[in-house]
Amino acid sequence: IPPSATPDLRLFWDDFDQGLKPEWELLQGYCTMSNGMLVCPDGDSRIEVGDYSWSNYRLAFDTGSYWIPGGAAALVGINANGSYLKLNFPVCHNAYWIYHGPDGSEQQVSVANGGVCEDGPFHVEIEAKDGIYSMKINSNAVGVFQENRIISGRIGFLVNGPWFDNVVITPLEP
């Protein structure tokens, strides 16, 4: 669902055309808007939005150029105890899902089926439903896995370079 479609069907959206919405929480680094897109040029930036109770949702966003390993990650299921799932999405490489525990430890939990070997922009969709996580890049399914330690939580991004745009979070049927 693009940002302009049916507002009552969205948990949150931001196209960054009017700047950063106040619901975002910048936890580290510096982010700015450039040409209606979120850009965080100041090294490792972390930005989050949402509610710890969010569950059964689809996160969709656009991103550009390719992500170098360690260059960016999408975060889903961010819990108050500090745990979350992190998707490292390097293009032309496998995408790695990593469980980040409350103690700061990290464990790889899944590898997506390859990446997209082309320059962006890319449209990414991540579905989180009852501990089942799936991902599509440019409408191509690239992985599904189950992780029962994360059932609900906020969303966010770790950014070191790439831009993000058209972030839309919509609820899924329970």
Side-chain angles (χ1 to χ4, degrees), residues 108-141:
Q108 182 178 314
V109 292
S110 182
V111 178
N113 304 329
V116 178
C117 289
E118 58 190 54
D119 204 2
F122 302 100
H123 181 73
V124 178
E125 291 184 17
I126 298 169
E127 287 193 2
K129 184 172 183 179
D130 299 325
I132 307 280
Y133 294 86
S134 63
M135 181 181 67
K136 293 179 181 177
I137 301 172
N138 294 340
S139 299
N140 297 312

Side-chain angles (χ1 to χ4, degrees), residues 16-165:
F16 305 106
D17 288 347
Q18 305 299 316
L20 196 64
K21 286 190 172 185
E23 293 92 338
W24 286 105
E25 185 178 354
L26 182 62
L27 300 175
Q28 71 186 48
Y30 169 75
C31 294
T32 187
M33 301 318 108
S34 177
N35 300 317
M37 296 175 281
L38 174 70
V39 179
C40 303
D42 188 33
D44 295 326
S45 297
R46 180 171 171 171
I47 189 166
E48 295 180 9
V49 69
D51 190 278
Y52 295 121
S53 67
W54 279 2
S55 63
N56 297 334
Y57 57 81
R58 175 183 297 114
L59 165 62
F61 58 90
D62 297 325
T63 186
S65 252
Y66 48 95
W67 298 10
I68 58 170
L75 309 177
V76 294
I78 301 167
N79 285 264
N81 70 4
S83 63
Y84 56 83
L85 286 173
K86 174 172 63 173
L87 170 66
N88 287 332
F89 167 60
V91 177
C92 274
H93 304 283
N94 290 328
Y96 296 95
W97 281 100
I98 297 178
Y99 170 77
H100 182 93
D103 62 355
S105 64
E106 292 194 336
Q107 171 191 7
Q108 182 178 314
V109 292
S110 182
V111 178
N113 304 329
V116 178
C117 289
E118 58 190 54
D119 204 2
F122 302 100
H123 181 73
V124 178
E125 291 184 17
I126 298 169
E127 287 193 2
K129 184 172 183 179
D130 299 325
I132 307 280
Y133 294 86
S134 63
M135 181 181 67
K136 293 179 181 177
I137 301 172
N138 294 340
S139 299
N140 297 312
V142 293
V144 176
F145 74 98
Q146 185 164 357
E147 176 53 68
N148 292 319
R149 292 176 286 187
I150 303 287
I151 301 296
S152 64
R154 298 163 52 113
I155 69 100
F157 297 105
L158 294 174
V159 187
N160 187 5
W163 56 263
F164 291 88
D165 200 5

Side-chain angles (χ1 to χ4, degrees), residues 7-13 54-58 169-172:
D8 56 321
L9 295 180
R10 299 180 302 222
L11 293 170
F12 177 80
W13 71 272
W54 279 2
S55 63
N56 297 334
Y57 57 81
R58 175 183 297 114
I169 301 121
T170 52
L172 298 172

